[in-house]
Structure formats: structure tokens, C-alpha cells
Amino acid sequence: MADDHSSSPPHLCHSCGNPTTTAPPPTAAPWSDASPPPVYRPIRAPAINAPAPNTAAIILSPVPQPLPVPPLSFPHSFEAPSKKIASPDDIAHFHSIPAGRHFLGFVSALSHCSRGLKISDPVPISATISSLLSLLQALSSWLPLFPPLPHPSRYGNPAFRSWHQKLVDEASSVVLPLLASDDLRPASIELVPYLLDSFGNPTRMDYGTGHETHFAAFLYCLARLGVVAESDYPALVTRVFVSYLSLMREVQMTYQLEPAGSHGVWGLDDYHFLPFVFGSAQLVDHKYMKPKSIHNQDILDNFSNEYMYLACVAFVKKVKRGPFAEHSPLLDDISGVPTWSKVNSGLLKMYKAEVLEKVPIMQHFLFGSIIKWE
């Protein structure tokens, strides 16, 4: 006689669509328009009341694959980048042109090169990597110059504007060490705007996945210029991106930046997405740690310094109150997926769908001659 459960469909992760060992709660579907659980008190209303992720579309979409970065040919005429995306049709166009395909392929390549790599593992450190680390260290060293000011609001300390203005004033000087030749130096006209938009918006005093994506775009531009080579990719993730994440956590906590475009209770993190992508790649095929290991506090305490995914979960647990399954149901749901490989592939698909295909985020994305709108 057939097993009673043989015809039951597998439980699916609501974020990436992969099979999960965790059964859904006997309540309304989490992607309904229902309010967050009454026990949970969100620290803020979502800036964008975006609809829930289209789970079926994410499940059916292909996993983004690594692509080589097409090098620019020289001599090259650089131009100040500008915004081009204003509608869903523009989003579709972006993903149909080489710029969109190769940028996503670059993010996928960074994820792929991170597989099985701890943050402390030795990686080649080129002159470019050293310059990028010095750039981020310089930005970090400016924070004590602009301590938080007395301010009645919970979010957006105005001292952030002074720190960001220092970045505006010094941007060209911190970028030029990356551009060693006469052919490359004019590229600063394009690189500086990407860098400036990588650390939050000084007018709204917010930060979100769009700013994080601009930092990835800044690195992609360096790859197109030939300044970053594929051999630099492991260090881009475990040295440069880790340093960037550390700096942004410090900026967020120092100036209490508003989360830009937060999905509230149904988001991965109020500020970041890519650390979850790269961090899940780091844990692929780990002998002991599984996605469900995020619920083990000893693992978070002992291994957060080696794996970005664990560090991000630890940060979420630190800043949000209440049961984890209530304030972070998406992360809790993902923890039921059986393997890190499935988590990683699902998060790559989700990054494309929930960041690179969202007009409220991508309307701020910049296009010039390096990332070209055509």
C-alpha cells in the first residue's frame, strides 16, 4: 500500500522556492496582505509597500550564471552617468541589453568564487585590492570627525550629511589611486557618482539595497576598465566587500540611517541583500553547518567572523526584538532549505527579482559609457 504522504507536495521555501524541511504554519500564506503577527512591533513602516515576491515566478526563473566581464577598448570617451529607468518596460529593457546581463553575471561570478571560502582564508591581494581597502579605511576614519548631533528623531542624524559631504569633497582623490594610467584617469567622471551613491542618500538620510548595488556597480566598472581582474574576485568578496559591509554597519548605527525601501517584516535585512548571497556561497558544501544552523547561537557566536551569512543573521538578531520567526520570517523560512547550494541559487534568483527588477530601487541606477544604456 502506498505511503499516505507519497502524494503530498513538498513544502517550498517562500523566498527561493526550493524544498524545505520546515512545514508552513497552519495560518494564512505569508505572502498575503495580512499584517505582521500582532506580537511583532516593526521599528518602522516599510518605505515601499511593495507586493510580496512573486514566488512562482522566482521558482521558474533560471539561476543567474557567472559571465566574463567584457573589457572596454581604449581610447575611450567617458561620460557622466545618469538615470534611465522609470517604468517596468525600462526594467525589461535593462535585462535584455548587455549591460544588464553582464552586471548580473558579474554578481554571480563573485558569488561563485566565494564557494567554500572563509573570510580568513588567504587570497591574492593585488595593488587594486589594497587601494580599495585603503579607500574604505579612509571613509571609516572620517566617522569620528562627525559625531552624531543631538537630534529628536529616531532616524537620520544630520551629522551623516557632514560625513557624506566629506566623501563628496574627497571622492576624486580617493578614486584616482585606482586609475594609474593616462587612459584610465578620465574614468573618474563615471566612477565617482557610483561611489558617492554607494553609502546612502544625504538628503533622505537613508540606505538600502540600491546603494549596495551601486557599490557592486562601482566594482563592475573597475572590472570593465581592467583594473580588477578575475583573480581579484575572491579578495573582492572576502576583503573588500566584507570591509564595505563593516563600514556600512558602522555608518548605519552611528547615524541611524533610515532603511531605504525596506520590505519590513518580510525582508531579508532592512539594509542589505548581497552579503546573504555571498555568505550562502561561502557555506556551500560545508561539512557541518547547514541552513538550519542559524538557530544555534553558539554557531553564530563562533563563526560570524568567518561567514557573512551568519554575521548578517547575528546582526538581525541583535537589532530586532522578539522571536526570530516573527521578526524575520523570510530568514526563518530559508533555514528550512536542506542545502546551502539551494539557498544560494534561490537568493541569486531573488536578488534579480526583488532588487534588479524593482522600479523603486532601479530608478536610481546610473548609466554611462561603462554601464551603457542602449
Side-chain angles (χ1 to χ4, degrees):
M1 184 174 179
D3 186 83
D4 290 341
H5 301 286
S6 60
S7 60
S8 300
H11 301 304
L12 299 179
C13 171
H14 296 299
S15 60
C16 60
N18 285 308
T20 171
T21 57
T22 304
T27 57
W31 300 122
S32 71
D33 294 328
S35 298
V39 177
Y40 173 67
R41 296 291 183 268
I43 57 173
R44 64 182 294 278
I48 300 172
N49 293 318
N54 187 338
T55 307
I58 295 175
I59 293 170
L60 296 173
S61 64
V63 179
Q65 296 298 312
L67 291 175
V69 173
L72 283 181
S73 56
F74 292 93
H76 184 85
S77 179
F78 296 99
E79 62 187 56
S82 59
K83 300 173 184 178
K84 302 291 185 183
I85 293 176
S87 69
D89 287 343
D90 292 335
I91 290 285
H93 180 70
F94 170 64
H95 288 284
S96 72
I97 61 177
R101 294 196 305 271
H102 285 285
F103 175 67
L104 181 57
F106 173 70
V107 171
S108 300
L110 292 181
S111 174
H112 185 77
C113 81
S114 309
R115 292 192 165 210
L117 197 62
K118 298 196 301 290
I119 290 172
S120 65
D121 284 345
V123 291
I125 304 295
S126 66
T128 296
I129 297 298
S130 295
S131 294
L132 286 168
L133 293 173
S134 295
L135 184 158
L136 294 170
Q137 179 56 44
L139 270 60
S140 180
S141 71
W142 299 340
L143 290 172
L145 303 178
F146 307 103
L149 299 171
H151 187 57
S153 299
R154 176 170 186 178
Y155 283 104
N157 192 284
F160 171 67
R161 291 180 174 139
S162 300
W163 179 85
H164 198 278
Q165 185 59 49
K166 173 76 169 173
L167 173 59
V168 172
D169 296 340
E170 302 287 342
S172 293
S173 63
V174 298
V175 164
L176 282 176
L178 295 163
L179 308 173
S181 71
D182 291 339
D183 283 338
L184 291 174
R185 273 187 279 275
S188 64
I189 191 176
E190 292 200 35
L191 291 177
V192 165
Y194 287 105
L195 185 70
L196 293 180
D197 208 39
S198 297
F199 300 95
N201 184 283
T203 301
R204 299 187 303 270
M205 291 191 288
D206 64 6
Y207 175 90
T209 52
H211 302 105
E212 176 188 75
T213 295
H214 266 124
F215 187 70
F218 175 73
L219 300 178
Y220 174 73
C221 289
L222 293 177
R224 288 217 67 195
L225 291 168
V227 175
V228 164
E230 282 194 29
S231 59
D232 291 318
Y233 286 8
L236 278 185
V237 175
T238 64
R239 298 296 187 274
V240 174
F241 199 85
V242 166
S243 296
Y244 169 74
L245 177 61
S246 176
L247 169 61
M248 286 319 306
R249 292 299 195 202
E250 192 175 3
V251 171
Q252 291 151 16
M253 299 303 287
T254 300
Y255 300 121
Q256 297 298 303
L257 298 187
E258 183 89 1
S262 168
H263 286 262
V265 69
W266 296 116
L268 282 176
D269 179 309
D270 284 339
Y271 297 106
H272 291 282
F273 199 112
L274 287 177
F276 292 95
V277 175
F278 301 151
S280 60
Q282 287 182 278
L283 287 158
V284 167
D285 295 331
H286 195 283
K287 190 173 181 179
Y288 302 111
M289 282 186 278
K290 307 300 178 187
K292 64 183 179 181
S293 298
I294 66 166
H295 300 293
N296 186 321
Q297 190 61 43
D298 286 342
I299 286 178
L300 295 182
D301 292 341
N302 289 293
F303 296 99
S304 291
N305 61 327
E306 291 284 17
Y307 299 100
M308 271 185 281
Y309 195 101
L310 302 182
C312 287
V313 171
F315 180 81
V316 168
K317 287 189 172 185
K318 176 182 175 182
V319 300
K320 293 194 175 184
R321 301 182 182 91
F324 185 74
E326 293 178 356
H327 64 61
S328 299
L330 195 53
L331 288 173
D332 186 64
D333 195 22
I334 291 171
S335 72
V337 175
T339 68
W340 286 111
S341 179
K342 290 184 179 295
V343 171
N344 180 246
S345 61
L347 288 175
L348 277 168
K349 292 193 288 184
M350 194 177 174
Y351 179 67
K352 180 176 183 286
E354 294 301 309
V355 178
L356 299 185
E357 291 183 353
K358 295 301 184 187
V359 173
I361 296 173
M362 295 302 290
Q363 66 182 341
H364 303 292
F365 195 76
L366 298 172
F367 296 88
S369 70
I370 304 176
I371 302 178
K372 192 171 181 63
W373 183 265
E374 52 192 356

